[in-house]
């Protein structure tokens, strides 16, 4: 079959994006708007009801299809309600973007002295939360003959500098393992690892004078800092039929920070 640029279009597809109602200029918001722009109906899911409603309203005002869903991804009952809302509004789910996470509030916590309660909370949101959503949504994907799952990891997983990074490495493990298990069911599972992205949360975590930015400046091949919108093209590749033969991969979108063979 000859490649067509229309393969990036998502008309008739339903996408659930967690963490899409975040602080102001969030990555989840950019993902939700990008998917809606490509033609998908979007479930804007977040713990933050005001944020989720604002992003769903923004999509509708631009002529797209969206609903807001208030969810706590650590709670299976809450995630089940999110999945139910998607089916009621749009008839099913084809795309799941596991983007919700704790990040800015964690700073650079180290494993050696972190209280166990805090460790469990981080893993609960950043790892188990993605698993809960996947377990709830995969049966809906199977019912539609397949689907696409994108897990939001981080370049910060690779330099081994924080508990946040450990949680994102666990999410890489979930990505590759689920890719192997779900491939024959026509479900692709990939991850995006952004570099230092200037969402409102990213600005909070790494202000201009942060030592972390100095560290990046010494190593990153191109521009150190990116904008949420610069991640959307990769998301559309992984969520559309243009990316049908890609699975189990971590795509680094970071100006050449994490360089792997
Ligand atoms: N900004 C960066 O530099 C950067 C870099 C690499 C990866 N990331 C990742 O990108 C994603 C989005 O980051 P962001 O910068 O937009 O941050 P953000 O804080 O704006 O987004 C995270 C969202 O997750 C939501 N959330 C947290 N706990 C939740 C729960 N239990 N249930 C439902 N929703 C919950 C928050 O309400 C928030 O809206 C995160 O996974 C983050 O780890 C960010």
């Amino acid at each position: 079959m000859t490649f067509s640029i229309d393969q990036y279009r998502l008309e008739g597809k339903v996408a659930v994006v967690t963490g899409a109602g975040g602080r102001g200029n969030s990555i989840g918001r950019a993902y939700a708007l990008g998917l809606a722009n490509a033609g998908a109906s979007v479930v804007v899911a977040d713990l933050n009801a005001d944020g989720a409603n604002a992003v769903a309203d923004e999509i509708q005002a631009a002529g797209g299809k969206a609903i807001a869903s208030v969810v706590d991804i650590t709670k299976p009952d809450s995630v089940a309600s999110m999945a139910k809302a998607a089916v009621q509004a749009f008839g099913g789910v084809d795309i799941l973007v596991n983007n919700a996470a704790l990040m800015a509030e964690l700073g650079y916590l180290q494993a050696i002295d972190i209280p166990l309660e805090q460790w469990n909370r981080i893993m609960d949101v950043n790892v188990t939360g993605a698993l809960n959503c996947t377990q709830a949504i995969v049966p809906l994907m199977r019912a539609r003959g397949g689907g696409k799952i994108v897990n939001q990891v981080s370049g910060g997983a690779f330099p081994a500098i924080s508990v946040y990074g450990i949680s994102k490495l666990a999410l890489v493990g979930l990505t590759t393992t689920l890719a192997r298990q779900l491939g024959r069911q026509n479900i692709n599972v990939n991850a995006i690892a952004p570099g230092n992205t200037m969402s409102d949360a990213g600005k909070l975590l790494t202000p201009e004078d942060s030592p972390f930015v100095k560290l990046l400046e010494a190593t990153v091949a191109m521009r150190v800092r990116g904008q949420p919108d610069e991640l959307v093209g990769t998301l559309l590749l992984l969520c559309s039929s243009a990316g049908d033969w890609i699975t189990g991969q971590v795509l680094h979108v970071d100006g050449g920070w994490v360089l792997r063979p």
Side-chain angles (χ1 to χ4, degrees):
M1 192 185 74
T2 311
F3 175 77
S4 158
I5 195 70
D6 292 340
Q7 285 177 239
Y8 284 94
R9 300 292 313 170
L10 296 174
E11 272 81 13
K13 301 293 182 189
V14 180
V16 173
V17 185
T18 68
R23 305 170 176 88
N25 180 29
S26 73
I27 295 173
R29 170 181 167 271
Y31 281 173
L33 292 174
L35 290 162
N37 231 325
S41 302
V42 181
V43 177
V44 179
D46 206 291
L47 202 52
N48 172 356
D50 289 347
N53 282 317
V55 173
D57 288 349
E58 199 177 348
I59 291 172
Q60 287 168 4
K65 295 191 205 83
I67 58 162
S69 173
V70 180
V71 66
D72 181 344
I73 59 166
T74 67
K75 304 215 158 50
D77 286 355
S78 178
V79 170
S81 302
M82 174 188 75
K84 199 171 161 195
V87 173
Q88 276 171 351
F90 301 125
V93 178
D94 308 282
I95 295 164
L96 169 64
V97 185
N98 284 313
N99 168 76
L102 301 177
M103 181 191 71
E105 44 279 83
L106 305 182
Y108 300 93
L109 283 168
Q110 296 303 311
I112 196 66
D113 46 20
I114 189 172
L116 201 52
E117 202 177 308
Q118 201 170 9
W119 167 276
N120 288 339
R121 174 71 189 149
I122 296 167
M123 297 305 155
D124 207 21
V125 178
N126 291 12
V127 188
T128 313
L131 180 67
N132 284 336
C133 295
T134 304
Q135 288 184 339
I137 298 290
V138 161
L140 302 177
M141 291 178 170
R142 286 192 187 120
R144 284 160 81 99
K148 311 278 187 190
I149 300 173
V150 178
N151 294 326
Q152 181 81 341
V153 299
S154 173
F158 299 90
I161 52 172
S162 65
V163 172
Y164 167 74
I166 298 173
S167 74
K168 292 297 188 176
L169 279 180
L171 196 50
V172 171
L174 191 64
T175 303
T176 51
T177 307
L178 286 174
R180 202 178 289 290
Q181 288 173 357
L182 299 176
R184 297 295 166 91
Q185 295 161 39
N186 204 25
I187 298 174
N188 306 58
V189 190
N190 290 291
I192 296 177
N196 192 213
T197 309
M198 292 299 91
S199 62
D200 289 6
K203 286 181 189 160
L204 206 65
L205 181 66
T206 53
E208 204 58 63
D209 57 355
S210 151
F212 185 61
V213 175
K214 298 280 168 281
L215 186 81
L216 290 176
E217 276 165 357
T219 50
V220 176
M222 299 175 82
R223 183 162 38 85
V224 167
R225 314 188 108 180
Q227 295 299 323
D229 281 341
E230 293 183 273
L231 305 169
V232 174
T234 304
L235 181 77
L236 294 184
L237 169 66
L238 296 179
C239 291
S240 67
S241 76
D244 272 353
W245 208 34
I246 307 172
T247 200
Q249 303 304 309
V250 179
L251 297 197
H252 293 266
V253 187
D254 62 5
W257 174 23
V258 182
L259 298 178
R260 306 200 320 166

